[in-house]
Structures are given as C-alpha cells and as structure tokens.
Amino acid sequence: MTGIKTKICALALVLFIPLCVLSQDSVAIRGYGTKQLKNLGNSGVKLGDFIAASRYYEAYMKKKPNDYKTAFQLAECYRTSRDYDNAQIWYEKSYTGSGKTYFLPLFYYAQMLKMNGNCEKAKENFLLFKKQAGTDDKSLELKKQVKPEIAGCDALQSKKLLSKVLITHLDTSINKIHVEAAPVFLNDSNIIYSALRSNKKEFIVPGDSLTGALRKLYTAKRANGVWTYSGEYKGPVFTPGMNIGGGTFVPGGKRFYFTQCRPNNKNKMICAIYVCEYTDGNWSAPVALDKTINLPNFTSSQPAAAMSAKGTETVYFASDRPEGKGGFDIWYFTYNSKTKKYVAPRNAGNKINTSSDEMTPYYDQESRTLYFSSNGWPGMGGMDIFKATGELKSFTSPENLTPAINTSYDDLNYTISTNRETGMLVSNRKGGVSLKNPTCCDDLYEYKRLEFVRLRVAGIIRGGKDTLALMPVSDAKVSVYLVDPADPKNLVFIKSDKTDKDGKYSIPVELGNNYKVVAENSNYFNDEYTVSTAGLTISQSLQHNFILKEIPKEGYLLKKVYYASDKSDLSPEAKTNIDTTLLVLLNQNPELKIEIGSHTDDVGSDKYNVALSQKRADGVVKYLIAKGISADRLTAKGYGKSMPLAPNRNEDGTDNPANREKNRRTEYKVIGKVDIEIKMED
C-alpha cells in the first residue's frame, strides 16, 4: 500500500460527517507487538477510522523508526483527519527517513508547510519535488499541481489582495465540537444549517446509521448583531435514519432540494438528492430524484438551485460520478416544470472543474455568479472559495476570493445574505470549536464587508425620428452583460428589466467589473454603452440616458457607398463606411433582418441595370457575411434604374454627373426580425 487514497478527505468534506466522529476516544496500544500494531493501523484505515489508525501507526513507529513508508501512512492519516501540524512532521520524517529518495512525501510536506502558514519554505520544497521526483503516474500528477500551489502561496503573501472584511465565529450555541455546514439564508436574520448537534464525542456505527448520531437541519437567528441557535428546522419531514446535508430553495420558495446520506452495503457513505414541494400550506414527503441524477453507488450532494436566463429551474451539485474531470466535480441538471421531468446531469465544464475536487456550489441569482470551493485552482491552501459568472457550462474564468475570505485551511459553503453586505462561510481554520485537533472540524462563520458599495446602472430612455421630437420609451428592455476579463468578446448575461412609463430603468451591478448595457424596443434601433465599476468607493447610481432612433419604413442611404459607372465592386472607402455604420447597427441589433437595395443611373437597358444593381447588392451582402453577419438576416435586391434619387440629366437634356453618382448607390431598410434567445451553452 503506497498511501491512503487522497480523495477520502474530499469525501469526508462532501458528506460533512467528520472522520473524527468515527474514532473511539482512546485506543489500547499496550501489549501489542510490532506486527500487530501495524496491522491494527492498516485495519483502521480500511474502516475509515484514521485517528485510531494514527495511534497504532505512531506506536509502531516507536518500535520501527526507520520504516519510512509507514511513516508516510501515518502522515496520510493525520492529513486525512485534518491534523496538519502532525501531518507535516511525519511527511518530513518519511522523506528524510528514506534518505531523501522517496519523493512522494516531499510534495505533501510542502503542502502542509503551506497550510500551516510557512509559504517560503513550502515553495522551496515544491520546486525541489518538481526537480527530483520521478516520472511515474503519481509523480507526474503531483508535478502538475506544483504551479497552482506556488501561485496560491504568492497570492497568500500579497497584501494588495486584502480587502476590509470582518469574519466572525458564530455563537457556541451554534458551533459545537462536530462539523457545522451548509448555511442557507431564509432572510437577513434567519438561517438553516446542517449539524450533528452535540458537545459529546458521538460515534457513528458503520453500516447502522439508525443507532448512531445523525445530522439534522437546524435554525439560527440574528438579534442585536449576534447569531444564536433557535431550534430544529420545522420544514419538510425528513426520512428517518438518514444524515441530512445542506438544502436549497428554488427561487420563489415552493420547492426544496436537499441531501440525505446513509452507508451502502459496502459501508460506503452515499449521499443522494431529494426534493419536497410546498403546496396548500404543507411540505410534501421527500422524494429521491431518479437514477440519472442519483447514480447508484456514487454521491450526489450539496444542491444549489437557480433559474437560468431562459427561466429554467437549474440545480448545481457536487458528485464523484464517472466521466468527471477528477475527484468531485460540479454538475448541473434542469427541471421541466411542464413535463415534471428532469434532464440528465451535465458537467459544468473545464472553466469550473479540475482534476482535483470542486464542491459546495452556491448560485447567486442577483449577479448570476457561481461560488464554489476547490483545491485544484491556485489557492491559499486546502479548499479555497472561488467565483465564476455565467451558467450551465458557460462561465468566466474562476476568481479566488483572496485572503479577505480564504485561509490556508479549508474554506467552503460561501453564501450571500439578502442584504448582500453580509453572508456565511464554513471553515476549519484555527480558532473554531475543535474535537481532536485545532483544524479537525468545520464551523460556521459570518463575514461582513466593512466598506460595502452598492451600485446601479440607471437612466432614462427617449426615442424618436429626430432629436427635436424625443419621447420617453416605455416597455423598453434593458439588459446588462458582464464583459469577461479574460476574453472581452465573451459577454455573460446578468439581468434585464423593462422601463417604466417615464422611460426610466435601474439595475443593480457589482463592484469591480466591466459591463455592457443594451437598450432595445421593437420600434427602435438598439443602443448600448459600456461602464466600469472598478475602483469605485462610494455607493451610487451610474447614470446613462439612451436616445433611440426610430426604425423608419423607408430605406437608409449608405453614405459614401457609391460605384463607378458600370462597376459593382466596393471601394476601400465604401468598406470603411459599412464597417462604421451598417455593421455596427447589425451587431447592436442582432434580431434585425434587413434588405440591401442597390441602384443604378439610366445608362443601359432596364435588364442590364437590374442585373448590375443586383451584383452591387450581392457584393454588400457577401461583405457583411464575411464580417460575421448571419446570411438569414440579409436580403439583396437590385432595383436597376427605376428609383433615381435625382434626375440623371439637366433640364436642358445634358448629363448631370453629380446626380448620376448619387443614383449609383446602395441603401438598407429593416424588413423584419428573427427570433433570438440569450446565448447559453446547453
């Protein structure tokens, strides 16, 4: 055996059933021989009792101090039970005891140094591991993690990333010696959370959750600035004998998804997602979701409900199901309220998931942002909290919440209160209520942004044929899109609203972003502007008034798009004018269908001029298609010489070259609209 499977620790975090509660309070080690102690340690690992296993291994190491591989097993036991101080000691002993030829413990030694706050020494040992470790599969896998581990160290040491956030450990009427997890805001002053609520060393009997201590949902209330325990949650009736994990309300509060867990026949704790519905003043009995979501013998847990941009009920969740990116991934499924059916889960993709673990998703509907924890992206140590804006499989690149929120330990379950100034998170950082060691168990913490800035984009929309006859445009749709900082061409839909009778709009936005704001109404051409909220320090409305141009029934002349006599090709000047006028209009109004109409002077026959003007119109359409405009939005029409703007000849019968040039022209007019939807990856 080369080491304890590293994903066991992640599994413990997902279930929020701490490994420490499995362990007996003390183990007898007297009277056992060397071989017996090692075998008892191995048995403890197989049973998932890592604390007992560490006691036996440690007693064994006193008799066999040069067994560097067992020293590694002991370090793994301490790491898995989240005793990072002792894990660091024994990883170092394993590495040095091997004569510095066994490199696997070197990586984890560096990782424990990082988690214990010694980043400089951690970076030295990460680089040493990368230089000296071999080319076996495990070493190659860990070498890939060196870069993000060091990047996390650099971020942890950067004081520039710190912002003013107050973190408060919740009242000990809430935080007990076991794990508290999964806070959900009912409103600003009330939460529900999952806990094994006891200050005793409770034991879970493997394979018999009915007789052991069980996790339930409880409530806490905030009064006079202090959160205190307020009783067991009186919501849905949960299944007897199950450990209850976190829950989530669908926007509107009529459906509640939550996790229930129990051991399977192989003694592996399996979690599944259940749902209850609120009808006629009562909650229905819990119903397990079908096997496409609750895949047998794999965990599906930590549901986080949201409504997609299309108005579809969507649930993000954590699972170790096959075909993921590695470890636990964030997945999602959707629910069709008309057919009452669920769509099979899909992976949230490479923008969210790594080859390590991602879990505890929380979706903020207001900012269309997914918050989740990961140990695969560059972080401070352990599990860090990240955010990415978007939905389904389409997200911006993850952003670490920095040392303002994250520590070198495990930070999870980030949530935002309805006031948006405060929220909750879960962490095993030092200073919590501990059971076996200072970092063994997760507690609930409240965060408060001390310099919280509230921002809105706001203004008035007016429209008309010209600036002298502008009127407020009511029922105009105003949409806000986040500009992806990693790819400015990627616009992520955030929110839309309609103007009131006075043409006014007002939409909340977040600090530190770039946005595109688009105004549209069926009778007007769209308009847009960009706005940055970076660096703002005062709550304010960012004002911008739109003036929309009315869509005319007649055509618009494309200025400077003229042709030499008997020619249909576009001049460089004509192309520049198309780029700066018509192309901009089509990109700003993706629903418009237009006709490109071209004309000639009167030289030549009717048939000849119709054919020439058609070539001119076709040339503009081809140019626009080459610039990315969909062909189904464009129609080319040649009108020949039938619609002159000005007489081709003077009154005395002589030619008028200036007027002939005006007649050799191209125009456009709106002829309809195509149905478009907010772009999403489905």
Side-chain angles (χ1 to χ4, degrees):
M1 184 168 60
T2 59
I4 297 166
K5 189 178 180 183
T6 57
K7 300 304 179 188
I8 293 176
C9 186
L11 179 58
L13 292 172
V14 167
L15 301 183
F16 296 113
I17 300 169
L19 296 170
C20 52
V21 303
L22 296 172
S23 179
Q24 298 179 14
D25 192 29
S26 62
V27 295
I29 58 176
R30 292 182 181 179
Y32 289 119
T34 304
K35 187 175 181 179
Q36 288 175 304
L37 287 170
K38 186 173 182 178
N39 287 339
L40 286 168
N42 293 342
S43 296
V45 169
K46 290 179 181 179
L47 291 171
D49 192 345
F50 300 105
I51 293 175
S54 66
R55 303 282 177 83
Y56 289 121
Y57 282 144
E58 196 156 352
Y60 167 84
M61 289 304 300
K62 290 179 180 179
K63 297 175 181 288
K64 292 285 187 179
N66 297 323
D67 187 347
Y68 64 89
K69 289 193 175 181
T70 300
F72 179 75
Q73 300 291 15
L74 174 55
E76 289 278 80
C77 284
Y78 278 126
R79 180 171 66 96
T80 307
S81 56
R82 303 165 91 186
D83 186 344
Y84 309 126
D85 291 330
N86 277 316
Q88 177 182 318
I89 291 169
W90 284 99
Y91 282 128
E92 183 181 26
K93 287 184 177 181
S94 175
Y95 175 57
T96 57
S98 72
K100 298 186 178 181
T101 59
Y102 183 39
F103 297 108
L104 190 58
L106 180 59
F107 175 87
Y108 294 110
Y109 171 58
Q111 195 175 61
M112 294 304 101
L113 284 167
K114 177 182 175 181
M115 295 185 73
N116 288 323
N118 192 343
C119 260
E120 283 302 322
K121 195 170 182 180
K123 288 196 287 185
E124 291 176 13
N125 283 278
F126 278 129
L127 292 173
L128 183 62
F129 170 81
K130 187 175 183 180
K131 180 180 179 181
Q132 295 186 348
T135 56
D136 58 283
D137 289 345
K138 184 62 177 177
S139 294
L140 291 175
E141 178 187 343
L142 293 178
K143 282 182 179 182
K144 292 178 182 178
Q145 297 180 36
V146 167
K147 184 177 179 179
E149 289 282 6
I150 291 177
C153 266
D154 292 338
L156 187 61
Q157 292 174 304
S158 175
K159 294 182 179 180
K160 293 180 181 180
L161 293 175
L162 294 174
S163 58
K164 295 183 179 180
V165 178
L166 176 66
I167 307 289
T168 305
H169 185 257
L170 294 199
D171 189 281
T172 52
S173 69
I174 298 169
N175 285 318
K176 302 295 183 181
I177 64 174
H178 301 285
V179 167
E180 286 75 37
V184 175
F185 280 91
L186 300 175
N187 50 51
D188 284 345
S189 301
N190 292 275
I191 62 168
I192 59 175
Y193 66 98
S194 172
L196 193 162
R197 189 174 163 74
S198 174
N199 268 332
K200 297 180 180 179
K201 296 178 176 65
E202 303 288 356
F203 309 110
I204 296 177
V205 180
D208 187 10
S209 59
L210 290 171
T211 61
L214 294 172
R215 301 184 63 77
K216 298 180 181 180
L217 292 183
Y218 298 96
T219 61
K221 186 175 183 179
R222 193 175 194 269
N224 300 318
V226 178
W227 287 94
T228 54
Y229 171 73
S230 56
E232 190 171 339
Y233 179 52
K234 304 299 182 183
V237 178
F238 302 112
T239 307
M242 290 280 202
N243 287 286
I244 309 302
T248 179
F249 291 95
V250 172
K254 297 297 184 181
R255 288 160 59 80
F256 183 69
Y257 293 95
F258 62 97
T259 303
Q260 294 191 149
C261 311
R262 82 170 14 149
N264 65 7
N265 56 9
K266 294 183 179 179
N267 201 36
K268 177 185 176 183
M269 188 67 72
I270 299 294
C271 292
I273 298 174
Y274 288 69
V275 66
C276 295
E277 298 199 29
Y278 190 76
T279 54
D280 300 326
N282 294 296
W283 285 102
S284 66
V287 176
L289 302 189
D290 62 45
K291 292 182 179 180
T292 61
I293 296 166
N294 291 322
L295 195 63
N297 295 317
F298 294 93
T299 279
S300 297
S301 66
Q302 304 166 2
M307 298 301 289
S308 75
K310 294 180 180 179
T312 303
E313 186 177 308
T314 305
V315 178
Y316 300 89
F317 67 103
S319 179
D320 61 347
R321 66 206 301 122
E323 300 181 6
K325 308 301 177 183
F328 278 85
D329 279 6
I330 305 298
W331 297 72
Y332 68 89
F333 61 83
T334 57
Y335 175 71
N336 189 319
S337 58
K338 294 181 179 179
T339 63
K340 308 292 184 184
K341 292 183 178 180
Y342 291 94
V343 177
R346 299 188 67 179
N347 192 281
N350 293 329
K351 282 290 185 73
I352 301 298
N353 295 310
T354 68
S355 60
S356 296
D357 296 298
E358 284 70 41
M359 57 187 68
T360 64
Y362 165 77
Y363 196 83
D364 177 37
Q365 197 73 40
E366 185 73 19
S367 64
R368 305 202 71 79
T369 298
L370 179 70
Y371 292 85
F372 63 98
S373 291
S374 172
N375 58 10
W377 296 103
M380 314 301 161
M383 304 293 294
D384 271 20
I385 300 167
F386 294 81
K387 69 175 183 178
T389 301
E391 62 181 355
L392 306 182
K393 293 183 69 175
S394 181
F395 286 95
T396 59
S397 297
E399 178 183 344
N400 191 297
L401 294 198
T402 79
I405 294 294
N406 290 313
T407 65
S408 60
Y409 304 105
D410 291 322
D411 301 291
L412 310 134
N413 278 132
Y414 186 88
T415 57
I416 302 173
S417 71
T418 50
N419 66 29
R420 304 194 66 76
E421 187 174 356
T422 61
M424 293 280 179
L425 60 90
V426 169
S427 181
N428 71 328
R429 62 188 66 187
K430 290 182 178 179
V433 182
S434 61
L435 176 62
K436 291 287 184 180
N437 63 71
T439 55
C440 72
C441 306
D442 296 312
D443 279 0
L444 300 187
Y445 290 80
E446 181 184 35
Y447 68 85
K448 181 178 181 180
R449 301 194 179 279
L450 299 180
E451 296 180 351
F452 184 66
V453 177
R454 296 183 187 276
L455 301 170
R456 308 183 76 84
V457 291
I460 299 174
I461 298 180
R462 296 184 177 89
K465 291 184 177 180
D466 56 64
T467 56
L468 298 177
L470 297 178
M471 297 291 291
V473 180
S474 62
D475 205 36
K477 182 180 179 182
V478 182
S479 300
V480 175
Y481 297 84
L482 176 74
V483 180
D484 187 345
D487 179 9
K489 293 182 180 180
N490 180 28
L491 301 179
V492 181
F493 172 75
I494 302 297
K495 194 172 185 179
S496 63
D497 202 0
K498 294 291 184 72
T499 54
D500 62 15
K501 61 182 179 61
D502 298 317
K504 294 181 179 179
Y505 72 94
S506 180
I507 300 175
V509 291
E510 301 287 311
L511 181 66
N513 295 319
N514 292 324
Y515 294 98
K516 178 172 281 189
V517 185
V518 179
E520 53 189 307
N521 180 280
S522 60
N523 297 316
Y524 299 87
F525 290 119
N526 295 354
D527 195 11
E528 62 186 43
Y529 73 99
T530 57
V531 60
S532 175
T533 60
L536 300 179
T537 58
I538 300 173
S539 296
Q540 58 188 287
S541 290
L542 305 170
Q543 295 288 321
H544 180 87
N545 296 328
F546 286 98
I547 296 178
L548 302 185
K549 295 181 180 179
E550 188 174 331
I551 298 174
K553 293 181 180 179
E554 65 273 12
Y556 268 105
L557 177 67
L558 275 172
K559 296 179 180 179
K560 298 183 181 179
V561 180
Y562 295 107
Y563 303 86
S565 181
D566 199 32
K567 300 294 183 181
S568 63
D569 52 311
L570 292 170
S571 67
E573 184 182 29
K575 291 178 180 179
T576 298
N577 190 61
I578 291 172
D579 289 345
T580 56
T581 57
L582 182 55
L583 185 62
V584 172
L585 177 75
L586 289 169
N587 282 326
Q588 289 184 347
N589 298 265
E591 77 285 1
L592 290 186
K593 296 176 68 173
I594 66 167
E595 177 191 276
I596 302 296
S598 291
H599 304 264
T600 67
D601 59 21
D602 65 351
V603 175
S605 67
D606 290 347
K607 182 178 180 181
Y608 170 82
N609 280 301
V610 168
L612 177 61
S613 62
Q614 186 66 45
K615 286 182 181 180
R616 290 172 175 173
D618 289 339
V620 174
V621 167
K622 289 177 182 177
Y623 181 76
L624 290 170
I625 291 172
K627 289 286 185 174
I629 303 302
S630 175
D632 62 3
R633 298 176 58 197
L634 305 171
T635 298
K637 176 69 174 177
Y639 288 93
K641 60 183 181 180
S642 63
M643 299 173 63
L645 279 181
N648 289 294
R649 292 177 174 79
N650 297 314
E651 290 183 0
D652 62 2
T654 60
D655 278 346
N656 188 324
N659 283 358
R660 287 188 180 280
E661 184 179 30
K662 290 179 182 178
N663 291 331
R664 297 192 298 268
R665 71 194 187 277
T666 293
E667 299 173 338
Y668 71 89
K669 64 180 178 180
V670 176
I671 58 173
K673 293 192 176 186
V674 296
D675 293 329
I676 63 169
E677 294 181 335
I678 295 168
K679 185 180 179 181
M680 296 190 307
E681 247 186 271
D682 216 352

